[in-house]
Amino acid sequence: MARKDIEQLAASAVWPAGAALSQQEFCAHVRSEGTRLYRDLPWRGIDDAYGVLVSEVMLQQTQVKRVLGRWEHFMGMFPTPDALAAAAPADVLAEWQGLGYNRRALALKRAAEECSQHHAGALPVGVDALQQLPGIGPATAAGVTAFARNQRAVYIETNVRTVFLHLLFPDEEAVPDKQLEPLVAACCPPAGQVRAWYYALLDVGAHLKSQVTNPSRRSAHYTRQSAFEGSRRQKRAELVRIVLACPGIALGQAAKRLDAEERAAGRDAVDPQLFASIVADLTREGFFREEAGKLFA
């Protein structure tokens, strides 16, 4: 979203008539509470767009406490887009273990490859340009723009939604982002102040979720995360770990090891058709390659 588009969106904002706080009061409240609740996180206050991108991808559907330490180590292993682009997929996946949603690691690597090949090893500038990279959506592109560039962007994620829904739409259900976007744009400060503003929103939102029933559930975009244990996603993750630990493992042996893990957890062995389907998906998505009946990450 270009600067002109943000200004037009902000100009179209109509502050909710029933809101307990005016726009000025809302912004002042968020800034005050944000100062009180500020979290000093290692990926904050940096101008490295790639480092911010890594943090944004890691934090998707993953709690901050699980990312602490992991971001620093990942950046030590792959400090630049060129370094990540040149890394073996197996090394990237191994470094990602424990963060969940392994496909994010491969998407991040593909984005790095695009930067290395077409952008001189740097991330492109601007929300629209960033969204041209593999796996980069509007929120991630806006996060990189706001936090690394300190430029205006409409950044909406769960903690930001939480603050706006709790304070401005306390009695409404299924509030769409389209309704929030003009308000978020209108509250976004001038360039140079954007980073601090969104840090405040994130920290206030995180605090609110610990104090009240998660207001973001009243977003039209809220989806409850399905149970992990016993799911297809859990079996996928376990198979990735098996192949990373034993590169070149035969398909039959991989199936036996996955069955053993399932039985150890009190579940039935994996149906052969399900196993074949998972292998096919992981191969197509770039997690594995199969050679002569053996799996390599």
Side-chain angles (χ1 to χ4, degrees), residues 50 53 80-90 92 105-124 132-134 136 285-286:
Y50 167 71
L53 174 63
T80 64
D82 286 337
L84 183 58
V92 178
L106 294 185
L108 184 59
K109 176 172 165 54
R110 287 193 289 271
E113 290 169 349
E114 185 74 13
C115 291
S116 184
Q117 294 170 13
H118 302 292
H119 299 282
L123 267 67
Q132 300 305 308
L133 297 176
I136 306 300
E285 293 169 21

Side-chain angles (χ1 to χ4, degrees), residues 4-53:
K4 183 178 180 181
D5 295 330
I6 297 172
E7 293 171 354
Q8 291 174 343
L9 189 61
S12 72
V14 177
W15 202 253
L21 300 174
S22 68
Q23 181 176 338
Q24 183 176 3
E25 290 169 336
F26 172 86
C27 293
H29 173 76
V30 170
R31 291 183 187 281
S32 175
E33 284 293 278
T35 298
R36 182 176 70 87
L37 299 168
Y38 180 76
R39 295 174 293 175
D40 187 15
L41 303 172
W43 49 83
R44 288 188 168 182
I46 64 173
D47 298 324
D48 178 8
Y50 167 71
V52 171
L53 174 63

Side-chain angles (χ1 to χ4, degrees), residues 15 21 26-27 29-31 33-34 37 156-170 180 183-184 187 197-209 212 214-216 218:
W15 202 253
L21 300 174
F26 172 86
C27 293
H29 173 76
V30 170
R31 291 183 187 281
E33 284 293 278
L37 299 168
I156 300 180
E157 57 80 72
T158 181
N159 285 330
V160 174
R161 288 190 188 100
T162 292
V163 178
F164 278 84
L165 291 172
H166 181 72
L167 294 177
L168 304 183
F169 301 94
L180 298 182
L183 304 176
V184 175
C187 292
W197 166 247
Y198 280 120
Y199 289 160
L201 276 171
L202 291 174
D203 293 345
V204 173
H207 177 71
L208 279 173
K209 288 194 293 187
V212 300
N214 186 357
S216 68
R218 293 188 287 102

